[in-house]
Amino acid sequence: MKQRKWLSVLLVLMLSVTWLSACSSNNNANTTENAQNKEGNKAANTTETKDADATAAEPAPEPVKQTLNVGIEAEPTSLNPYNSTDGNSTGVQGSMFEGLLKLDQNMKIQPSLAASYELSADAKSITFTLREGVTFHDGSKLTAQVVKDALDFVRNKDNQQARASFFSFIEDIKVTDDLHLTITSKDPNSAMAAYMTHSAGSIISPLELDKKKKDPNYNLDRTPVGTGPFKFAEWKDGQYVKVVPYDGYWDKEHTAKLESIVYKPVTEASTRVNMLKTGELDLVKNVPSLSAKELEGNADLDIAKTPSMDVYYVGANIKKKQYSKVEVRQAMNYAIDKDQLIAQVENGYGRIADSAIAPNVVGYSAQTPYAYDVEKAKELMKKAGFEKGFDATLWTRNETEFIAIAENVSIQLSKIGINAKVVPLESGTMFDKLDAGKELDMFIGRWSPGTGEADWGLRPNFHSTRIPPNYNNSNFYINKEVDKLLDEALATPDAAKAQEMYAKIQKIVYDDAAWTFLFEPESIIGKRKSVGNVVIIPNGYIDLNNAVKQ
């Protein structure tokens, strides 16, 4: 039964991607496929001339390159892939940066800056062969030494990069020649290839890193230089980030086909939707579910709904007396009617979260969800010594959907005496506060593993070595058995054995109510029908590198 469920999810994903890539214009007379076929081709018919002998075909005019306007939920916190942890930032960075490997729309690992790779039989090392002739946007060349220097930079804690811990598994990087390097892990690590697909594994120009090394005050967050098909043009605070084609891009078959991409932060969801309808925006990620049905009837738009890898949850600071009680955490899970939450906030576009990771993450194992049972929740609160409840503060991002979730959760928790005051925060401010690990009470979280597999779905949130400051386990959840299983699962090259351990971890975390598990939303993408070649990656990234606009 699980196999059939998995196959159905995959089919939905593949159909959604295909549909978006081959959409038509309003009158269906000029499809994206046709536009692709016309590029660079000659006209099929000869032109009329006064001279009957003039029968040579004239070349078709080149399509006019246009600007693609993309609506995002919030302004990026950074354009440095080593120093950002939010999806809005990585979504913008993806057009400018590349790593050694990448994930395709079916979550399969594919070569990128590396032409090939080989994982050792003991899962302790991975060897990469780089592509030849790759240059950065500033003209510097990609070499194995450049890759080593970049990875050494991000994992050096003295450089204070937010992603330093991501590469803590690395023991050594050895350069063989300009095109070959080997990464050795401290312990066997079966997820090394998946880790190198993450946005944190992007390679930054050596010239930029040299500037930072020479001047610690040099701001890499504002000067992105990578190898991607687009290069940085401009960042106007609060207005947009603009990227333009890089003429020296190494993959000549997949060069940028747009004049530019402009990423516009629009915090208010209804405003994003209206801008999409009027044509001020060409594409919007995370369309509010309440708007999806309305937009589906718009002849100018295409709407794609696919299962996402996101899990929404309530995090709570377990260092505090009330949340240190497992009964309180379980009571919070029983007190919230997730079906009602999904219906009211997501308009039905989602499912109850039955694990800390979503079904399309490799290694997922379903748990029995907490039933909605207020009376049981009250009994647990009484058992924990909090029969009268307590006051709480609930942080959330100042974005429409997050605020709606927080307000719904606050109302439902009040039924068991937990009076949670909703405090909206600018997303960058909230991430800074979570990273600092101070003042925290409760927060609305959304998690999706960029690697698409269970280790990175679970380790950042539940391993005791990942508590703040500067780490993701903002709950301060510590369970030695979970630590042991996570480390053992990562160390085994046997996928079946690793899966057994990941399943045990998910059961422990769920039974332990490490989070208040809410829901897994569908990913809803809206775009103008004039836009084609949009590729949805289930980890939440939208690949616009080969997008076209008619």
Side-chain angles (χ1 to χ4, degrees):
M1 185 163 179
K2 288 183 180 178
Q3 288 180 332
R4 290 198 298 270
K5 181 178 179 182
W6 170 246
L7 287 172
S8 67
V9 170
L10 259 185
L11 182 58
V12 170
L13 287 170
M14 294 173 70
L15 288 174
S16 298
V17 171
T18 304
W19 176 60
L20 273 178
S21 298
C23 64
S24 63
S25 65
N26 299 346
N27 59 13
N28 294 323
N30 190 16
T31 64
T32 301
E33 262 186 36
N34 290 338
Q36 288 177 298
N37 292 336
K38 288 176 184 176
E39 283 193 25
N41 291 344
K42 304 252 183 195
N45 301 319
T46 58
T47 56
E48 288 186 21
T49 64
K50 294 181 181 179
D51 188 344
D53 293 329
T55 58
E58 292 183 358
E62 285 290 326
V64 177
K65 292 185 176 181
Q66 299 192 53
T67 292
L68 187 73
N69 294 298
V70 180
I72 56 179
E73 294 173 296
E75 188 164 31
T77 60
S78 167
L79 295 184
N80 171 5
Y82 303 158
N83 203 36
S84 55
T85 58
D86 63 297
N88 289 303
S89 294
T90 56
V92 176
Q93 293 162 11
S95 61
M96 297 178 280
F97 288 101
E98 296 169 307
L100 298 176
L101 304 173
K102 64 181 180 179
L103 295 172
D104 66 15
Q105 59 264 44
N106 298 315
M107 298 303 291
K108 300 293 185 185
I109 297 173
Q110 302 293 342
S112 185
L113 294 181
S116 62
Y117 70 96
E118 183 177 358
L119 185 67
S120 64
D122 62 1
K124 280 215 66 175
S125 65
I126 185 169
T127 299
F128 295 95
T129 299
L130 303 184
R131 296 185 187 277
E132 295 187 63
V134 177
T135 60
F136 291 88
H137 303 153
D138 57 14
S140 54
K141 294 181 180 180
L142 177 77
T143 66
Q145 186 62 47
V146 165
V147 173
K148 172 180 164 49
D149 290 345
L151 294 177
D152 284 346
F153 175 86
V154 62
R155 65 196 186 97
N156 184 342
K157 292 183 179 180
D158 290 341
N159 292 322
Q160 299 181 332
Q161 301 296 291
R163 290 295 189 181
S165 64
F166 187 83
F167 295 100
S168 59
F169 68 88
I170 296 177
E171 181 176 59
D172 182 53
I173 304 175
K174 181 179 179 181
V175 172
T176 306
D177 55 39
D178 277 356
L179 296 179
H180 296 88
L181 72 153
T182 298
I183 297 175
T184 302
S185 64
K186 297 173 183 175
D187 302 294
N189 187 323
S190 57
M192 268 196 290
Y195 271 43
M196 300 313 294
T197 67
H198 196 280
S199 60
S202 302
I203 307 302
I204 294 178
S205 160
L207 298 182
E208 284 298 298
L209 293 183
D210 283 345
K211 293 175 185 176
K212 181 67 173 178
K213 292 171 186 175
K214 292 174 183 176
D215 178 7
N217 294 319
Y218 184 73
N219 193 357
L220 281 176
D221 294 341
R222 310 286 296 201
T223 58
V225 180
T227 60
F230 289 88
K231 64 181 181 180
F232 177 69
E234 186 179 18
W235 183 351
K236 283 203 169 184
D237 290 334
Q239 297 182 51
Y240 62 80
V241 175
K242 181 179 180 180
V243 299
V244 297
Y246 171 47
D247 293 337
Y249 185 52
W250 60 269
D251 189 350
K252 300 307 179 186
E253 293 183 6
H254 297 96
T255 55
K257 298 171 178 62
L258 296 164
E259 178 184 6
S260 63
I261 303 176
V262 176
Y263 298 92
K264 299 182 178 181
V266 184
T267 302
E268 178 59 46
S270 60
T271 304
R272 288 198 304 274
V273 169
N274 287 332
M275 292 173 72
L276 180 65
K277 289 193 290 187
T278 61
E280 292 176 79
L281 293 175
D282 299 303
L283 185 144
V284 170
K285 180 185 175 183
N286 295 332
V287 170
S289 54
L290 291 173
S291 303
K293 283 186 170 61
E294 172 198 352
L295 296 182
E296 284 175 345
N298 190 313
D300 297 324
L301 303 177
D302 279 319
I303 305 298
K305 301 183 294 293
T306 64
S308 74
M309 286 189 176
D310 291 340
V311 175
Y312 281 86
Y313 63 93
V314 180
N317 185 351
I318 294 174
K319 290 196 301 181
K320 289 195 168 186
K321 181 180 178 181
Q322 61 268 41
Y323 307 121
S324 69
K325 303 286 189 179
V326 67
E327 293 88 356
V328 169
R329 301 196 303 269
Q330 290 173 340
M332 291 169 63
N333 275 281
Y334 283 115
I336 297 176
D337 184 345
K338 283 89 168 181
D339 285 324
Q340 187 269 348
L341 174 63
I342 294 167
Q344 182 171 323
V345 177
E346 297 297 312
N347 204 29
Y349 293 102
R351 63 189 293 276
I352 293 174
D354 57 6
S355 177
I357 53 178
N360 50 0
V361 174
V362 177
Y364 158 82
S365 177
Q367 308 303 308
T368 302
Y370 288 89
Y372 175 52
D373 191 334
V374 174
E375 292 308 311
K376 185 168 185 175
K378 289 179 177 178
E379 290 174 9
L380 287 165
M381 291 289 286
K382 182 177 181 179
K383 183 179 179 181
F386 289 95
E387 182 177 6
K388 294 182 180 180
F390 51 84
D391 293 335
T393 300
L394 179 59
W395 291 346
T396 188
R397 302 189 210 181
N398 66 339
E399 299 163 18
T400 307
E401 183 180 27
F402 278 89
I403 293 173
I405 293 168
E407 290 176 344
N408 185 290
V409 166
S410 176
I411 291 169
Q412 299 211 52
L413 289 179
S414 68
K415 298 172 187 175
I416 60 171
I418 299 177
N419 304 306
K421 178 184 178 182
V422 175
V423 179
L425 298 168
E426 190 274 329
S427 58
T429 301
M430 180 167 161
F431 295 140
D432 287 344
K433 284 179 171 289
L434 291 174
D435 287 345
K438 298 177 181 179
E439 307 172 21
L440 173 64
D441 191 53
M442 292 197 297
F443 66 98
I444 300 294
R446 180 178 69 189
W447 178 252
S448 174
T451 62
E453 46 74 49
D455 182 74
W456 197 246
L458 299 167
R459 181 178 300 273
N461 297 300
F462 306 113
H463 199 288
S464 64
T465 61
R466 294 300 194 268
I467 62 174
N470 301 322
Y471 292 103
N472 210 71
N473 184 356
S474 298
N475 279 35
F476 292 89
Y477 176 77
I478 297 175
N479 184 306
K480 294 303 180 184
E481 186 178 2
V482 168
D483 288 355
K484 180 174 179 288
L485 288 168
L486 277 168
D487 293 342
E488 289 179 353
L490 188 64
T492 179
D494 188 322
K497 287 183 179 178
Q499 174 57 40
E500 289 177 8
M501 287 181 269
Y502 287 130
K504 287 181 182 178
I505 295 164
Q506 289 167 76
K507 178 170 176 51
I508 293 169
V509 165
Y510 208 82
D511 291 346
D512 218 8
W515 287 344
T516 301
F517 300 89
L518 299 179
F519 63 92
E520 299 150 2
E522 285 189 273
S523 177
I524 307 175
I525 311 298
K527 71 175 185 63
R528 307 289 299 178
K529 285 192 174 180
S530 57
V531 177
N533 287 8
V534 174
V535 179
I536 300 173
I537 311 297
N539 64 2
Y541 178 63
I542 301 176
D543 186 346
L544 301 175
N545 290 350
N546 297 123
V548 295
K549 180 179 174 182
Q550 304 303 313

